[in-house]
Structures are given as structure tokens and as C-alpha cells.
Amino acid sequence: MDIYRIDSHKLMFHVDRVHEWLHGAAVYPIYIEIGITDICNQHCIFCAFDYLKHKPVFFRKDVFSRFMSNAARKGVKSIMLSGQGEPLLHPDVAQMVRAAVKNGIDVAITSNGVRFMPDLSRELLPLLSWFKVSIDAGTSATYATIHGCPPEEFRVVLRNMEEAVCFRNKAKIACTLGAQFLLLPHNYREAGILVRIARDIGLDYCVLKPYSHHPMSLHRISSDDRSGAIDRAAEAATRYSNNGFKVVYRSRTAEYIKNDKPYRRCFGTEFTTLVTSCGDVYPCNYFIGNKDFMLGNLNTSSFEDIWEGRRRKQVMAYMRTKWSVARCRKGCRVDAVNRYLWELSHPSAHVNFI
């Protein structure tokens, strides 16, 4: 059971914001994804942002603090630190998380977990809503192949997560701890192994995510599963769920990736946005690095000025009238949101017969 709605969306819990948007009001995003650094300590074969070359760029701490204060006043509810690099490599990550929480914003982190050692995890866990680690293998050998790193890092990550669970439980902290397994032709046979490991070290969930190619990425991995082997392996792994541990196979997303989109424009970028490590604001991660779609930069403008500015209006008008969602990444982060909003704004017949 997907109790975290990982394979769906949560927009129905923000009825007031959706109502405003549906009636033509300009709304601020509920959720923002932020890449606080470009650098990474691994070289994953599936990295969506390999084309950015992982330059040593770090989000400025003072800019981040102002950004959080401005965003909170405008109704932003949550941020996730992930993006184009490994967020835990930013030397000020804890201070940045604290700045967001101080402003009433929920914070989550997705990470490879190598740097999630006890000193840092104990500082972050009381502040975070959730922390998710990418562990895309069940053995150290496959992990090294997938993550482009020494095989011993597999054990490092597992030990870090086990110690995080122990501290979280002992301190009675509410932070949810999970793992993600990206399903690839190279690793899908080990999905069940990783799920059992995640359960045994005390994580709350493990999500099995179908692979979707980022159009700008330099790598080429086949997502063809015509034999159904990947799907069967993922479905089989869900049997390890129990009362305290959930396995979520994103089967709905897998179907979305296989089929054409039922909506004709992206509405999700009204409720979410993306910020890069150099402060550039984009509608979503598809456009990172494409200056034609950059909405503004937080080093020179406030978030409010960017969101309400002429440049964003121009970009969004272009996306509304000329951009084809057929060009977008399949199964993207806002795909389920778009399906919901499209149906809401284009209701079918007989909707009053509830």
C-alpha cells in the first residue's frame, strides 16, 4: 500500500490553492526542488544531469536564507534538496535546512547517503520531514557498477542508514527514512535483495522506481521491458511489505511511461518549480541549463520578483501556447499532478453524478 502517495500526488490536500488557480488567480508554488550543489561523489550510470558536468558550484547560504524567508511569506510549503549534485556535499547543508525550517517550510533530502554519517545525520534528522537514499542494488558489486564508485561504499551507505534509524528511534524523531531502487536492466534481479535489506535495517519504506530517460542526459539506457521481467521482479518484491515497512512499486508511473500523455499542457509548473545551485529558477528539471526557459536568478532578484515578473509570464505563455508536452520526460515528477489538473479543468460528462 502506497501510504506516502509516492506513485500519485497530494494536490487534493491543497484545495484552497487549486481553487484559486482554477478560477484564474496567479498562485505561488507549494513545493520547490532545489539543487544546492552541482558536484557529486559518485558517477551513476543513470544520472539525469551528467550533461551539466558536475561543476564545483554551491548555492550561497545568505541567498538561500533570504529565499526561504521570501518563499515562506508567499505560501511555499515544502522544499526538497536534491537536484544536479549530491546535497550532503554542501558544507552548509545543515544551516540551510535550519533556515527553511525556521521559516515554517517542510524539508526533505534525497541523497546517495555516503556522507550521511552519524555526526551529520544526528544534526539533520530532527529538522527533516523525510530522508530518502538511493541504493540501486542488492550487492556491493552491482552497486559499484550502477553508482560508479568503489564497492565498499555500499556497506558505508547501509551502515549510515542503520545508524540513522537507531538514532531516530531512540530520540523519538518523526523523520521518515526510506530507500529508492531505480529499476534498470543491470539491477532489477536484485530488487528483492535490497528490499529485504532495507526492511531489516529498519527503514520505513523502499520505493521501486521505473527508469525514465531525461532528454538532455548523455547516457543511453534502454527502458524496454517488453518481456515484463522488470515488472515481475518489482511486483514480487512488494511481498516483503509488513505493518512497519512498505514496499512501493510505482506501477502507475510505469504505465504512464509506456503511453502517451492524456493532457495537452503542463499545469504542474504552476504549483512547483526548480532552483539550481547557481540560483537559476526554472519551471522544471527538463529545462536546466536552457537559458531560454530560465525565469530569473535568486542572486540578483527576490523569489517574489521572479515569480511575478515579466520574464516568468513570457516563459509560461510560451509553454501554454507553443510548448508540446510530448517533448517532455515521460513519467516526470508532475505527471500525476498534470493528469489531475487536466481532468479538473476539462471535466467529462455527468460529473454531478457522484
Side-chain angles (χ1 to χ4, degrees):
M1 182 180 178
D2 184 9
I3 63 172
Y4 304 107
R5 300 189 68 85
I6 295 171
D7 199 29
S8 183
H9 69 92
K10 307 179 185 76
L11 206 52
M12 73 288 292
F13 299 109
H14 302 275
V15 176
D16 54 343
R17 198 81 57 98
V18 174
H19 180 270
E20 291 173 7
W21 169 81
L22 195 60
H23 289 81
V27 297
Y28 272 81
I30 296 167
Y31 160 84
I32 301 176
E33 183 176 343
I34 309 173
I36 57 175
T37 182
D38 274 18
I39 63 170
C40 193
N41 51 349
Q42 295 188 336
H43 303 281
C44 300
I45 64 172
F46 57 80
C47 180
F49 305 112
D50 52 0
Y51 68 97
L52 298 174
K53 306 300 183 185
H54 298 300
K55 301 169 186 175
V57 181
F58 297 88
F59 205 114
R60 285 173 47 189
K61 183 173 63 172
D62 60 324
V63 174
F64 188 90
S65 182
R66 291 197 301 269
F67 173 31
M68 290 298 98
S69 178
N70 191 197
R73 289 197 303 271
K74 292 301 177 179
V76 172
K77 303 292 186 183
S78 67
I79 64 169
M80 181 177 71
L81 305 184
S82 61
Q84 56 266 40
E86 167 51 47
L88 299 189
L89 292 177
H90 197 298
D92 300 317
V93 60
Q95 294 96 311
M96 295 167 86
V97 170
R98 194 171 287 109
V101 173
K102 179 182 177 182
N103 282 284
I105 294 176
D106 297 337
V107 186
I109 293 178
T110 59
S111 165
N112 60 40
V114 175
R115 295 291 294 272
F116 200 51
M117 292 173 283
D119 285 350
L120 183 57
S121 67
R122 292 178 184 186
E123 190 173 7
L124 287 174
L125 285 170
L127 302 169
L128 296 174
S129 296
W130 53 265
F131 181 93
K132 182 171 64 181
V133 62
S134 296
I135 318 178
D136 307 287
T139 64
S140 58
T142 301
Y143 183 85
T145 298
I146 300 293
H147 284 254
C149 66
E152 54 266 27
E153 289 192 2
F154 180 66
R155 294 298 170 192
V156 170
V157 172
L158 295 179
R159 184 170 63 249
N160 287 347
M161 295 308 295
E162 187 169 17
E163 292 181 357
V165 168
C166 290
F167 173 74
R168 188 269 310 263
N169 293 349
K170 185 176 181 180
K172 294 181 169 52
I173 294 168
C175 179
T176 301
L177 294 170
Q180 178 167 284
F181 186 105
L182 183 64
L183 294 159
L184 302 169
H186 315 66
N187 67 356
Y188 72 90
R189 293 179 179 85
E190 296 182 7
I193 300 173
L194 189 275
V195 162
R196 293 195 299 273
I197 292 172
R199 179 195 61 188
D200 293 346
I201 66 176
L203 297 185
D204 298 302
Y205 71 89
C206 183
V207 57
L208 306 175
K209 180 182 177 181
Y211 170 77
S212 173
H213 178 71
H214 188 292
M216 297 294 293
S217 176
L218 302 177
H219 68 253
R220 292 292 181 270
I221 297 176
S222 173
S223 58
D224 185 10
D225 186 34
R226 278 178 288 187
S227 69
I230 294 177
D231 182 70
R232 288 193 297 273
E235 290 287 359
T238 62
R239 72 179 185 272
Y240 296 108
S241 289
N242 58 35
N243 289 336
F245 175 76
K246 302 302 177 187
V247 182
V248 180
Y249 171 40
R250 295 183 60 177
S251 56
R252 182 179 298 178
T253 299
E255 286 301 312
Y256 290 170
I257 291 171
K258 294 174 187 175
N259 301 308
D260 294 334
K261 297 177 176 68
Y263 51 89
R264 292 197 293 274
R265 59 165 292 206
C266 179
F267 294 127
T269 48
E270 304 284 351
F271 296 90
T272 72
T273 197
L274 181 138
V275 180
T276 71
S277 58
C278 60
D280 292 338
V281 182
Y282 289 96
C284 74
N285 67 28
Y286 178 96
F287 300 108
I288 294 179
N290 186 340
K291 299 301 182 181
D292 290 339
F293 290 87
M294 191 180 82
L295 308 180
N297 184 279
L298 291 167
N299 292 297
T300 56
S301 304
S302 71
F303 182 62
E304 179 180 0
D305 287 343
I306 292 171
W307 200 257
E308 297 183 11
R310 180 186 302 175
R311 174 63 182 169
R312 179 176 178 271
K313 289 182 175 65
Q314 291 172 341
V315 172
M316 299 307 288
Y318 178 88
M319 292 183 65
R320 188 165 53 248
T321 59
K322 297 182 179 179
W323 179 259
S324 170
V325 295
R327 298 173 60 184
C328 293
R329 187 178 190 176
K330 289 199 169 187
C332 74
R333 196 180 300 280
V334 295
D335 195 356
V337 169
N338 278 327
R339 292 166 187 265
Y340 170 70
L341 293 174
W342 182 263
E343 186 175 9
L344 197 61
S345 57
H346 297 77
S348 59
H350 310 155
V351 294
N352 291 334
F353 293 86
I354 60 172

